[in-house]
Amino acid sequence: MSSSDIISVYSPATGEHVGDVPAHTADFTRKAFAAARDAQKQWVSTSLQHRKAVMLRLHDMVLERQSELMDVIQSETGKNRASAFDEVLDVAITARHYAYAAPRMLRTRRKKGALPVLTHTVEEHVPHGVVGIIAPWNYPLTLTASDAIPALLAGNGVVLKPDSLTPLTALKIAELLYESGIPRDLFHVVSGSGGVVGRAITEGCDYLMFTGSTMTGRRLGSIAGERLIGYSAELGGKNPMIVAHDADIERAVQGAISGCFSNSGQLCVSIERIYVHEAIAQEFLERFVAAIEAMRIGPGPEWDVDMGSLISAEHRARVEDMVNDAVTRGATVLAGGRALPDLGEAFYAPTVLTNVAKRSKLYREEVFGPVVYVETVDSISEAIQRANDSEYGLNASVFADPDTAWEIASQLEVGTVNINEGYAATWGSIDAPMGGWKASGVGRRHGDEGLLKYTTTRTVSSQRVMPVSGPGEVARETYTSALKTALKLGKRVLR
Ligand code: NAP
């Protein structure tokens, strides 16, 4: 293998070289599919109790080896320890939830037949075959393992491409999956570029799970459409927070800190716009800025660091350009608004802007960094209208008295609404679906759909005694008349 076939991984926080992985080819990816396809034929015949036991072992293993996992995650993302721990927690919760829920979701169900008693009908859930997963860099453990877990439990093989910036975490969780009992040929991590490996996955898989930008998501969606395979995509967001007149201000400030700056704002459900009622706007802003000034930012594994670096110096420059563009067009910087070169090339300060002009890039476009702008509103209806005025519809956060908050939530055009929380309440509710409206995605992860999407259905009906069209010896007219009477009776009896 020549040096051009290597992807070198560097820590964005320290610049240190942290590892090398192969940049695989399309042919290598196709071989991974062939192996996974063979292995899946065995795997699908294993019992759900066996698959459940494997995932419960994985649950224990990620918790036992959390430090090892967090070290790898931090080394290639630059995120702070707490954000790395969120990933470990997410994988453990997902493994536990689906391990216990899969037997219920996947069991063969009796359905009503064409003719009561005479038709015995069942619905079966059958795995697609080999699922392709293409993941981004921002949550390299969560967005690889937590999508693979339900796919494997449902009886599929998996070929997974991690982002080229963060392949080491995916390789680490692959080791843990194998140790937990997943056959090596069933689950493959194939490192390489989106244009080569990503494309081969899109062309070879039986179902595609993609997390990443809306632009790539649209492109992959059209290929999935051409191939007529199932497709689920978790894409970008420009997520709003509403702080109503009756909000608990301190709670809203803490919610904004975690909603805007967790994982340095590189979170699909991160808050990038805040609409605060004028009655409390000044106090909210003063406290918010004071809380930001108290944040600890830097590299390293210490638990008390509140925010780490961005994913790369290039991404930091992109964030910086967007903020500078807004400032040039008249925005006021209340906090941050600058890179932090003393900490490293990829660090950018948590930033709050006001007076952002509508023609600024970041007014509508996702920054995917620690940058939020605040607008003051004079009514809840105005806040709702502005929150919904976006091409995206992923997540929203509402800080208000509960009655006000539930009323606001019912009017928001998004896949998840967090009341008195930034994003973690819905994300952590693994039993409920999570995903975006509008340009934020198609399909859902989490909830029953997060596993059932990795299956297709087969309905099997067995006809007893006579065909649905009636016994041959009875005249058609007599039979249809009997059917009519049965239908009338059925309306009253079969509710
Ligand atoms: P991206 O550029 O779309 O890349 C995501 C993944 O797709 C990478 O593994 C990339 O590979 C691969 N890829 C790129 N082009 C491809 C192609 N033509 N065919 C197949 N694969 C291809 O997104 P990103 O910049 O890494 O991630 C940031 C975006 O993801 C943000 O917009 C964010 O909101 C979104 N996101 C959404 C969620 C969610 O759950 N809704 C979660 C996290 C992130 P390489 O880069 O290795 O070449």
Side-chain angles (χ1 to χ4, degrees):
M1 197 174 272
S2 76
S3 59
S4 62
D5 298 323
I6 295 292
I7 297 170
S8 294
V9 185
Y10 294 89
S11 160
T14 63
E16 194 189 337
H17 176 233
V18 289
D20 291 318
V21 298
H24 285 299
T25 60
D27 192 44
F28 184 93
T29 314
R30 284 191 282 271
K31 286 184 179 137
F33 269 99
R37 231 169 259 298
D38 279 350
Q40 191 266 340
K41 292 190 181 89
Q42 311 286 322
W43 180 245
V44 72
S45 62
T46 59
S47 71
L48 273 163
Q49 288 312 313
H50 172 75
R51 292 181 226 160
K52 174 180 167 182
V54 169
M55 289 308 166
L56 291 178
R57 270 199 296 278
L58 179 73
H59 168 274
D60 294 348
M61 215 175 272
V62 294
L63 293 179
E64 276 156 25
R65 289 167 65 178
Q66 68 173 59
S67 294
E68 201 183 317
L69 279 164
M70 289 190 294
D71 288 346
V72 181
I73 296 169
Q74 282 197 285
S75 76
E76 61 181 358
T77 61
K79 67 176 68 183
N80 64 329
R81 198 74 168 167
S83 297
F85 179 68
D86 287 347
E87 298 211 48
V88 173
L89 198 61
D90 179 84
V91 173
I93 293 173
T94 305
R96 186 200 63 201
H97 171 72
Y98 282 122
Y100 287 128
R104 166 183 64 79
M105 287 184 216
L106 293 171
R107 77 169 198 272
T108 298
R109 281 188 174 72
R110 281 205 55 180
K111 293 283 161 183
K112 286 178 188 147
L115 296 168
V117 186
L118 298 183
T119 312
H120 170 71
T121 297
V122 296
E123 173 193 306
E124 299 171 350
H125 289 279
V126 184
H128 289 294
V130 182
V131 169
I133 298 178
I134 300 179
W137 44 260
N138 59 335
Y139 278 80
L141 181 62
T142 292
L143 297 175
T144 52
S146 293
D147 287 325
I149 287 165
L152 291 164
L153 267 166
N156 296 282
V158 169
V159 176
L160 181 155
K161 189 197 100 56
D163 194 282
S164 299
L165 294 170
T166 55
L168 302 176
T169 307
L171 290 165
K172 176 59 72 183
I173 193 67
E175 277 174 31
L176 266 59
L177 276 162
Y178 300 144
E179 282 179 46
S180 304
I182 291 293
R184 280 186 179 265
D185 276 342
L186 188 72
F187 177 77
H188 299 257
V189 172
V190 185
S191 48
S193 73
V196 176
V197 171
R199 192 187 170 115
I201 287 180
T202 312
E203 289 168 353
C205 65
D206 303 312
Y207 183 94
L208 181 61
M209 172 71 224
F210 172 73
T211 308
S213 65
T214 294
M215 192 178 73
T216 309
R218 284 188 209 280
R219 201 174 293 158
L220 300 193
S222 70
I223 299 172
E226 275 294 317
R227 293 193 56 224
L228 295 176
I229 57 165
Y231 176 56
S232 183
E234 304 285 348
L235 309 174
K238 186 77 189 172
N239 308 300
M241 172 183 285
I242 293 175
V243 186
H245 56 283
D246 52 7
D248 175 331
I249 298 180
E250 191 48 37
R251 230 174 141 181
V253 166
Q254 292 313 318
I257 292 285
S258 80
C260 303
F261 306 125
S262 289
N263 207 40
S264 310
Q266 303 164 122
L267 174 60
C268 55
V269 286
S270 197
I271 302 299
E272 295 202 2
R273 317 177 266 152
I274 299 179
Y275 303 108
V276 56
H277 195 277
E278 60 185 9
I280 56 163
Q282 194 182 342
E283 189 179 348
F284 170 79
L285 279 172
E286 281 169 9
R287 290 210 215 171
F288 188 29
V289 169
I292 290 170
E293 279 160 5
M295 283 175 70
R296 285 197 52 188
I297 302 154
E302 293 77 25
W303 282 96
D304 59 354
V305 173
D306 298 306
M307 201 178 95
S309 74
L310 298 185
I311 188 66
S312 63
E314 291 73 30
H315 189 48
R316 188 263 307 141
R318 188 178 160 269
V319 170
E320 202 170 10
D321 283 350
M322 287 180 97
V323 173
N324 291 346
D325 167 71
V327 172
T328 307
R329 294 173 195 277
T332 308
V333 179
L334 293 189
R338 62 200 164 84
L340 300 170
D342 292 349
L343 295 175
E345 284 190 343
F347 284 87
Y348 194 83
T351 295
V352 183
L353 304 174
T354 54
N355 303 317
V356 172
K358 287 190 174 162
R359 59 188 196 287
S360 309
K361 261 179 103 172
L362 63 73
Y363 193 78
R364 291 188 167 278
E365 282 181 35
E366 182 183 42
V367 179
F368 217 55
V371 179
V372 62
Y373 68 80
V374 182
E375 292 190 341
T376 303
V377 292
D378 59 17
S379 67
I380 284 174
S381 58
E382 188 190 353
I384 294 169
Q385 183 270 323
R386 289 201 204 177
N388 286 338
D389 181 19
S390 171
E391 70 160 319
Y392 295 112
L394 189 55
N395 178 46
S397 163
V398 179
F399 281 83
D401 179 74
D403 287 347
T404 315
W406 285 88
E407 175 55 29
I408 295 172
S410 70
Q411 298 176 62
L412 293 173
E413 297 165 3
V414 290
T416 52
V417 182
N418 290 272
I419 294 176
N420 293 328
E421 231 318 323
Y423 64 88
T426 52
W427 183 277
S429 303
I430 304 273
D431 194 23
M434 191 273 143
W437 291 22
K438 306 187 212 173
S440 289
V442 288
R444 293 287 180 268
R445 58 161 59 95
H446 299 176
D448 286 9
E449 189 180 336
L451 184 141
L452 291 177
K453 71 184 180 184
Y454 294 123
T455 65
T456 189
T457 55
R458 178 165 54 212
T459 298
V460 182
S461 293
S462 164
Q463 192 62 19
R464 298 160 170 153
V465 186
M466 65 173 194
V468 178
S469 56
E473 61 277 12
V474 177
R476 185 163 287 173
E477 194 178 352
T478 311
Y479 180 63
T480 50
S481 164
L483 269 185
K484 198 166 130 189
T485 308
L487 277 176
K488 285 184 177 168
L489 189 66
K491 187 184 162 203
R492 266 185 263 143
V493 180
L494 305 170
R495 288 164 197 265

